[in-house]
Amino acid sequence: MQACSTDTQNDENVLPPASAVLPYVNIAAYKFISFHDTVEQRPIFRALCEQLDLKGTILLTPEGINLFLAGLRESIDKFLAWLRSDPRFADIQVKESYSKKQPFNRMLVKLKAEIITMKHPLIQPEKGRAPAVEPKTLKRWLDQGHDDAGRPVVMVETRNAFEVDVGTFNNTIDYRIDKFTEFPDVIGQHKEELEGKTVVTFCTGGIRCEKAAIHMRNVGFDSVYQLDGGILKYFEEVGGAHYTGDCFVFDYRTALSPTLQESETTQCYGCRAVVTPREQLSPYYVAGKSCPHCKKASRETTAAA
């Protein structure tokens, strides 16, 4: 048997492996499950993450776990193998994306009352989830304009207004909430106009839309689904069909495109507003200092004085 040639002189067009170009694996995951030993588990989680040189945030709550972590492939795989060795998290689903550098500055393991604050403690997803619609099925519904029962499909935002401004599904209902705790009251005020329609709640990764869908079922909505895995899973499996813009994420990347690549959208260092590529062309945009939103806020303050 002849040895394979190692001559690479004619391989100039061969691309390096993805791991060499984007070596950091970014994972997002959550699971609603009774988790009563969070105090005892916190130092164990932190020690392992430090040992593996992972950074990000893990929330440990009585209703489950929520995490955003980044590290090299081997370290992420070791962490997930350890996490899934706990029967409570054996089936936890993870969404991945990749980056050239570490997107987080430090490692935090926090104890919280809820995975995502809604201030509705009676909601216990592990005792009965709202129905979930898979990304490919949702795309088919949106393509045809109705669900499989012939009901009109309505997309309902559960994210904050500034996130929505970066990108969202076409023709979505956006109630312009500033925080998730506002959602229960707002959706209750619009219940009648959603009657006879199939409502699909969605968010970045699935947590808020899961809680929102459960709440809606509890207050009498008869046809409501959550988008399984949120926008990021939709991008991963379907791409950007029926979606305009990018998806805001809570790390240095600011937003991801439908191809799950870091977009040119950024955040203003001064006022923390989201600044689109078009807004970055404004003379009021100074990287690391100010943006058009700063100027608008300054004008409003002056006018009110």
Side-chain angles (χ1 to χ4, degrees):
M1 181 182 294
Q2 293 183 334
C4 294
S5 173
T6 58
D7 185 1
T8 59
Q9 290 181 346
N10 296 321
D11 293 339
E12 295 179 358
N13 294 324
V14 177
L15 296 175
S19 59
V21 178
L22 302 172
Y24 283 93
V25 182
N26 307 280
I27 62 171
Y30 76 94
K31 185 180 180 182
F32 286 103
I33 189 73
S34 292
F35 192 11
H36 299 306
D37 56 337
T38 57
V39 174
E40 295 80 5
Q41 290 293 326
R42 184 185 186 189
I44 300 174
F45 271 83
R46 184 170 184 85
L48 179 64
C49 289
E50 290 179 346
Q51 176 187 333
L52 296 174
D53 197 26
L54 300 177
K55 293 183 180 180
T57 299
I58 299 176
L59 302 183
L60 307 179
T61 84
E63 66 179 11
I65 189 172
N66 182 23
L67 61 87
F68 296 88
L69 292 177
L72 299 180
R73 175 85 269 171
E74 182 179 4
S75 295
I76 290 292
D77 289 346
K78 286 182 178 179
F79 173 83
L80 290 175
W82 171 81
L83 180 63
R84 287 170 172 153
S85 69
D86 185 326
R88 293 172 294 189
F89 306 113
D91 60 350
I92 192 168
Q93 300 297 307
V94 175
K95 290 176 286 296
E96 292 189 355
S97 61
Y98 307 91
S99 59
K100 292 182 180 179
K101 61 181 182 179
Q102 171 60 260
F104 302 109
N105 295 320
R106 53 184 176 170
M107 184 65 233
L108 299 174
V109 181
K110 298 181 178 181
L111 300 180
K112 294 285 187 178
E114 299 177 72
I115 289 182
I116 181 71
T117 302
M118 192 180 195
K119 297 182 179 179
H120 277 255
L122 294 179
I123 292 178
Q124 297 176 289
E126 66 171 291
K127 294 184 178 180
R129 298 182 65 191
V133 58
E134 293 291 332
K136 292 180 181 178
T137 299
L138 176 61
K139 179 184 179 298
R140 177 166 56 79
W141 287 358
L142 296 176
D143 286 344
Q144 64 194 25
H146 55 79
D147 67 8
D148 294 334
R151 295 169 62 120
V153 175
V154 176
M155 304 296 295
V156 172
E157 273 281 6
T158 65
R159 299 178 298 160
N160 300 331
F162 77 91
E163 299 173 72
V164 179
D165 290 343
V166 175
T168 189
F169 282 95
N170 300 337
N171 303 313
T172 194
I173 294 178
D174 170 24
Y175 293 119
R176 309 304 294 169
I177 61 176
D178 292 319
K179 51 187 177 181
F180 187 54
T181 52
E182 297 173 5
F183 184 82
D185 289 339
V186 170
I187 199 68
Q189 296 168 14
H190 297 273
K191 184 178 178 181
E192 289 187 6
E193 64 194 56
L194 295 174
E195 289 183 358
K197 300 174 182 177
T198 288
V199 177
V200 178
T201 61
F202 67 95
C203 58
T204 307
I207 300 176
R208 284 174 285 186
C209 51
E210 177 159 0
K211 268 200 162 184
I214 292 171
H215 170 76
M216 291 173 69
R217 290 187 68 193
N218 288 348
V219 298
F221 285 83
D222 64 353
S223 183
V224 57
Y225 294 81
Q226 58 181 303
L227 173 56
D228 191 41
I231 298 168
L232 296 182
K233 186 175 180 182
Y234 185 89
F235 281 176
E236 180 181 345
E237 297 190 3
V238 175
H242 303 285
Y243 192 99
T244 299
D246 302 318
C247 179
F248 181 88
V249 291
F250 290 92
D251 59 50
Y252 85 93
R253 296 172 298 174
T254 304
L256 297 180
S257 71
T259 60
L260 293 177
Q261 300 299 310
E262 180 181 351
S263 77
E264 296 181 2
T265 299
T266 188
Q267 260 187 313
C268 174
Y269 183 84
C271 70
R272 307 309 299 165
V274 174
V275 187
T276 65
R278 183 178 182 84
E279 290 172 330
Q280 291 171 37
L281 299 176
S282 167
Y284 299 119
Y285 177 70
V286 180
K289 184 177 180 181
S290 61
C291 73
H293 299 279
C294 295
K295 185 67 174 179
K296 180 180 178 181
S298 176
R299 286 172 176 168
E300 292 175 349
T301 300
T302 301

